[in-house]
Every structure is written in C-alpha cells, then in structure tokens.
Amino acid sequence: MPLLLVLVPTGSASAADGAEAWKKAQAKVEYTVYRPGYTAGLSRSFFRVYPTCSQGGDPLVQIEYGSQNGNRFIGIDQSQRECLDVPDQHGPAGTFSVRGAKATVLGRCIPEPGECSAATRAGVRQSATTSVTMPASGGKGTTYVVVDTMGLTLAEIKKVVRSLVPVGSR
C-alpha cells in the first residue's frame, strides 16, 4: 500500500523557504539580512535583491508572503537606510520593542482615507506598515526593515517582526 505524506502549514517559515536564496542575498549587501521565523501560515511568493532602492543608493532585499490580491499578505523590505516612502492614509497604531529597537506601526485610516491621529484595529488589519532599524550582526551593518501587511492583527504583526533573525544565525 502506498504511503501518503500530508504536510500541514504551522504558520512558521520552514527550510523550504529557500535557505540558499537568503545566503545569496546576504552575500550581496553590506547590511544584515533578516529572515522571518513566523509568516502567519503564508508561503513565500516573491524574493528579489534589487541593485538600488527606489531612492537610490543601497541594494534592497524584498520578500513577499501570500498575495496582495488575497486576504492576507506580508511584504518585507530591507535596506541599509530608509529607502521607501511611508504610505499615505495611514496613522499611528503603536510601538513595540524588538531586539532592543523601537518598531513603529502605522495602520490604515478608517472610515475615510486621509490623515488620522490614530489607526483603529480594523485599520491595522486592513493595511499596516511597521518600520524598525534592526541591529547589526555577523560583521554586517544595521538594517532598516519595513514590514507591510494586509489581513493581520497587531498581535500577528508583532509576532512576524519579533521572529526576524539574522540570516545564518539559525
């Protein structure tokens, strides 16, 4: 009788996430590349190292999980310094600590697009951007990380960001 193997996603990034791609990305840049240990059950859908970020200068590492056309999405952009503009129509949703650094979360303004003094939980779940400068590791420099999400709660966003570890450290 043939053996049937069933794989069940656990919500964590796995070895199938392509360790070799992460190592190659780290070799191409002067800053520390971070890899998530938790991706809310989403599979990696995109991975690329751009020669320069949108504002010029340093290379940009861009990774995506899920789909921007779906209900849930995580996009992680990494560069040596701030590289991308903060999205319009987002307001402050909170801050938290990760690896000794302060992460700032901005959530979508609801009900009407525009500036808001604070984002609601519903706004964060609809669309959020979290930014943090992560510490240097392994002889590489610090890393400016932006995590864009759709369909995730603030608790899930914190879990994703806090799961980031330097490539090669695990």
PDB file of all heavy atoms in Angstrom, residues 18-29 33 35 47 167-168 170:
ATOM      1  N   GLY A  18      13.844  28.285   1.344  1.00  0.00           N
ATOM      2  CA  GLY A  18      14.989  28.546   0.488  1.00  0.00           C
ATOM      3  C   GLY A  18      16.180  29.177   1.175  1.00  0.00           C
ATOM      4  O   GLY A  18      16.510  30.333   0.918  1.00  0.00           O
ATOM      5  N   ALA A  19      16.835  28.422   2.042  1.00  0.00           N
ATOM      6  CA  ALA A  19      17.985  28.931   2.788  1.00  0.00           C
ATOM      7  C   ALA A  19      19.067  29.478   1.865  1.00  0.00           C
ATOM      8  O   ALA A  19      19.731  30.465   2.184  1.00  0.00           O
ATOM      9  CB  ALA A  19      18.553  27.833   3.690  1.00  0.00           C
ATOM     10  N   GLU A  20      19.236  28.852   0.714  1.00  0.00           N
ATOM     11  CA  GLU A  20      20.284  29.280  -0.219  1.00  0.00           C
ATOM     12  C   GLU A  20      20.011  30.689  -0.761  1.00  0.00           C
ATOM     13  O   GLU A  20      20.927  31.496  -0.904  1.00  0.00           O
ATOM     14  CB  GLU A  20      20.414  28.273  -1.366  1.00  0.00           C
ATOM     15  CG  GLU A  20      21.674  28.429  -2.171  1.00  0.00           C
ATOM     16  CD  GLU A  20      22.963  28.290  -1.346  1.00  0.00           C
ATOM     17  OE1 GLU A  20      23.001  27.497  -0.391  1.00  0.00           O
ATOM     18  OE2 GLU A  20      23.931  29.006  -1.670  1.00  0.00           O
ATOM     19  N   ALA A  21      18.760  30.997  -1.054  1.00  0.00           N
ATOM     20  CA  ALA A  21      18.401  32.332  -1.550  1.00  0.00           C
ATOM     21  C   ALA A  21      18.736  33.398  -0.505  1.00  0.00           C
ATOM     22  O   ALA A  21      19.231  34.476  -0.837  1.00  0.00           O
ATOM     23  CB  ALA A  21      16.920  32.389  -1.905  1.00  0.00           C
ATOM     24  N   TRP A  22      18.466  33.076   0.762  1.00  0.00           N
ATOM     25  CA  TRP A  22      18.763  34.026   1.835  1.00  0.00           C
ATOM     26  C   TRP A  22      20.271  34.251   1.955  1.00  0.00           C
ATOM     27  O   TRP A  22      20.729  35.385   2.128  1.00  0.00           O
ATOM     28  CB  TRP A  22      18.193  33.517   3.161  1.00  0.00           C
ATOM     29  CG  TRP A  22      16.698  33.555   3.211  1.00  0.00           C
ATOM     30  CD1 TRP A  22      15.840  32.531   2.926  1.00  0.00           C
ATOM     31  CD2 TRP A  22      15.889  34.680   3.530  1.00  0.00           C
ATOM     32  NE1 TRP A  22      14.549  32.959   3.066  1.00  0.00           N
ATOM     33  CE2 TRP A  22      14.541  34.265   3.444  1.00  0.00           C
ATOM     34  CE3 TRP A  22      16.172  35.991   3.903  1.00  0.00           C
ATOM     35  CZ2 TRP A  22      13.479  35.125   3.708  1.00  0.00           C
ATOM     36  CZ3 TRP A  22      15.100  36.845   4.166  1.00  0.00           C
ATOM     37  CH2 TRP A  22      13.781  36.409   4.060  1.00  0.00           C
ATOM     38  N   LYS A  23      21.053  33.188   1.860  1.00  0.00           N
ATOM     39  CA  LYS A  23      22.519  33.309   1.947  1.00  0.00           C
ATOM     40  C   LYS A  23      23.065  34.145   0.789  1.00  0.00           C
ATOM     41  O   LYS A  23      23.961  34.968   0.979  1.00  0.00           O
ATOM     42  CB  LYS A  23      23.167  31.928   1.943  1.00  0.00           C
ATOM     43  CG  LYS A  23      22.947  31.156   3.220  1.00  0.00           C
ATOM     44  CD  LYS A  23      23.564  29.769   3.123  1.00  0.00           C
ATOM     45  CE  LYS A  23      23.215  28.927   4.329  1.00  0.00           C
ATOM     46  NZ  LYS A  23      23.699  27.548   4.193  1.00  0.00           N
ATOM     47  N   LYS A  24      22.526  33.925  -0.411  1.00  0.00           N
ATOM     48  CA  LYS A  24      22.961  34.707  -1.578  1.00  0.00           C
ATOM     49  C   LYS A  24      22.625  36.187  -1.396  1.00  0.00           C
ATOM     50  O   LYS A  24      23.416  37.059  -1.741  1.00  0.00           O
ATOM     51  CB  LYS A  24      22.320  34.168  -2.855  1.00  0.00           C
ATOM     52  CG  LYS A  24      22.915  32.866  -3.323  1.00  0.00           C
ATOM     53  CD  LYS A  24      22.242  32.378  -4.592  1.00  0.00           C
ATOM     54  CE  LYS A  24      22.827  31.053  -5.046  1.00  0.00           C
ATOM     55  NZ  LYS A  24      22.165  30.564  -6.261  1.00  0.00           N
ATOM     56  N   ALA A  25      21.432  36.466  -0.851  1.00  0.00           N
ATOM     57  CA  ALA A  25      21.046  37.857  -0.615  1.00  0.00           C
ATOM     58  C   ALA A  25      22.008  38.500   0.383  1.00  0.00           C
ATOM     59  O   ALA A  25      22.455  39.629   0.179  1.00  0.00           O
ATOM     60  CB  ALA A  25      19.613  37.933  -0.093  1.00  0.00           C
ATOM     61  N   GLN A  26      22.336  37.785   1.458  1.00  0.00           N
ATOM     62  CA  GLN A  26      23.250  38.328   2.467  1.00  0.00           C
ATOM     63  C   GLN A  26      24.611  38.634   1.862  1.00  0.00           C
ATOM     64  O   GLN A  26      25.234  39.639   2.194  1.00  0.00           O
ATOM     65  CB  GLN A  26      23.387  37.357   3.647  1.00  0.00           C
ATOM     66  CG  GLN A  26      24.298  37.868   4.755  1.00  0.00           C
ATOM     67  CD  GLN A  26      23.802  39.169   5.374  1.00  0.00           C
ATOM     68  OE1 GLN A  26      23.001  39.142   6.293  1.00  0.00           O
ATOM     69  NE2 GLN A  26      24.262  40.302   4.887  1.00  0.00           N
ATOM     70  N   ALA A  27      25.073  37.798   0.938  1.00  0.00           N
ATOM     71  CA  ALA A  27      26.381  37.995   0.304  1.00  0.00           C
ATOM     72  C   ALA A  27      26.416  39.232  -0.595  1.00  0.00           C
ATOM     73  O   ALA A  27      27.486  39.796  -0.837  1.00  0.00           O
ATOM     74  CB  ALA A  27      26.763  36.754  -0.497  1.00  0.00           C
ATOM     75  N   LYS A  28      25.247  39.688  -1.062  1.00  0.00           N
ATOM     76  CA  LYS A  28      25.179  40.812  -1.996  1.00  0.00           C
ATOM     77  C   LYS A  28      25.098  42.176  -1.322  1.00  0.00           C
ATOM     78  O   LYS A  28      25.177  43.197  -2.000  1.00  0.00           O
ATOM     79  CB  LYS A  28      23.961  40.659  -2.918  1.00  0.00           C
ATOM     80  CG  LYS A  28      24.077  39.514  -3.886  1.00  0.00           C
ATOM     81  CD  LYS A  28      22.841  39.434  -4.767  1.00  0.00           C
ATOM     82  CE  LYS A  28      22.952  38.292  -5.749  1.00  0.00           C
ATOM     83  NZ  LYS A  28      21.784  38.214  -6.624  1.00  0.00           N
ATOM     84  N   VAL A  29      24.880  42.218  -0.006  1.00  0.00           N
ATOM     85  CA  VAL A  29      24.657  43.503   0.657  1.00  0.00           C
ATOM     86  C   VAL A  29      25.601  43.698   1.838  1.00  0.00           C
ATOM     87  O   VAL A  29      26.167  42.742   2.365  1.00  0.00           O
ATOM     88  CB  VAL A  29      23.182  43.633   1.138  1.00  0.00           C
ATOM     89  CG1 VAL A  29      22.226  43.550  -0.054  1.00  0.00           C
ATOM     90  CG2 VAL A  29      22.831  42.590   2.171  1.00  0.00           C
ATOM     91  N   VAL A  33      20.928  40.870   6.703  1.00  0.00           N
ATOM     92  CA  VAL A  33      19.649  40.450   6.148  1.00  0.00           C
ATOM     93  C   VAL A  33      18.920  39.632   7.210  1.00  0.00           C
ATOM     94  O   VAL A  33      19.503  38.743   7.825  1.00  0.00           O
ATOM     95  CB  VAL A  33      19.828  39.631   4.853  1.00  0.00           C
ATOM     96  CG1 VAL A  33      18.491  39.084   4.357  1.00  0.00           C
ATOM     97  CG2 VAL A  33      20.485  40.490   3.774  1.00  0.00           C
ATOM     98  N   ARG A  35      15.572  37.212   8.335  1.00  0.00           N
ATOM     99  CA  ARG A  35      14.631  36.227   7.814  1.00  0.00           C
ATOM    100  C   ARG A  35      13.557  35.972   8.872  1.00  0.00           C
ATOM    101  O   ARG A  35      13.885  35.776  10.040  1.00  0.00           O
ATOM    102  CB  ARG A  35      15.399  34.941   7.525  1.00  0.00           C
ATOM    103  CG  ARG A  35      14.570  33.812   7.005  1.00  0.00           C
ATOM    104  CD  ARG A  35      15.435  32.608   6.738  1.00  0.00           C
ATOM    105  NE  ARG A  35      14.632  31.526   6.201  1.00  0.00           N
ATOM    106  CZ  ARG A  35      15.127  30.434   5.679  1.00  0.00           C
ATOM    107  NH1 ARG A  35      16.429  30.266   5.639  1.00  0.00           N
ATOM    108  NH2 ARG A  35      14.332  29.507   5.207  1.00  0.00           N
ATOM    109  N   PHE A  47      10.855  36.863  -3.953  1.00  0.00           N
ATOM    110  CA  PHE A  47      12.130  37.137  -3.289  1.00  0.00           C
ATOM    111  C   PHE A  47      13.057  37.742  -4.334  1.00  0.00           C
ATOM    112  O   PHE A  47      13.301  37.140  -5.379  1.00  0.00           O
ATOM    113  CB  PHE A  47      12.745  35.831  -2.771  1.00  0.00           C
ATOM    114  CG  PHE A  47      13.926  36.026  -1.863  1.00  0.00           C
ATOM    115  CD1 PHE A  47      13.850  35.643  -0.544  1.00  0.00           C
ATOM    116  CD2 PHE A  47      15.116  36.564  -2.326  1.00  0.00           C
ATOM    117  CE1 PHE A  47      14.935  35.799   0.316  1.00  0.00           C
ATOM    118  CE2 PHE A  47      16.194  36.735  -1.501  1.00  0.00           C
ATOM    119  CZ  PHE A  47      16.110  36.347  -0.163  1.00  0.00           C
ATOM    120  N   VAL A 167      20.212  36.225   8.952  1.00  0.00           N
ATOM    121  CA  VAL A 167      20.486  35.057   8.117  1.00  0.00           C
ATOM    122  C   VAL A 167      21.785  34.408   8.616  1.00  0.00           C
ATOM    123  O   VAL A 167      22.753  35.092   8.909  1.00  0.00           O
ATOM    124  CB  VAL A 167      20.618  35.462   6.629  1.00  0.00           C
ATOM    125  CG1 VAL A 167      21.183  34.335   5.783  1.00  0.00           C
ATOM    126  CG2 VAL A 167      19.272  35.921   6.102  1.00  0.00           C
ATOM    127  N   GLY A 168      21.735  33.101   8.738  1.00  0.00           N
ATOM    128  CA  GLY A 168      22.903  32.359   9.201  1.00  0.00           C
ATOM    129  C   GLY A 168      22.969  32.157  10.701  1.00  0.00           C
ATOM    130  O   GLY A 168      23.837  31.471  11.219  1.00  0.00           O
ATOM    131  N   ARG A 170      20.563  30.734  12.525  1.00  0.00           N
ATOM    132  CA  ARG A 170      19.842  29.531  12.963  1.00  0.00           C
ATOM    133  C   ARG A 170      20.009  28.421  12.001  1.00  0.00           C
ATOM    134  O   ARG A 170      20.457  28.509  10.943  1.00  0.00           O
ATOM    135  CB  ARG A 170      18.357  29.813  13.209  1.00  0.00           C
ATOM    136  CG  ARG A 170      17.619  30.342  11.998  1.00  0.00           C
ATOM    137  CD  ARG A 170      16.176  30.489  12.344  1.00  0.00           C
ATOM    138  NE  ARG A 170      15.542  31.270  11.300  1.00  0.00           N
ATOM    139  CZ  ARG A 170      14.307  31.130  10.968  1.00  0.00           C
ATOM    140  NH1 ARG A 170      13.558  30.264  11.556  1.00  0.00           N
ATOM    141  NH2 ARG A 170      13.749  31.861  10.028  1.00  0.00           N
TER     142      ARG A 170
END
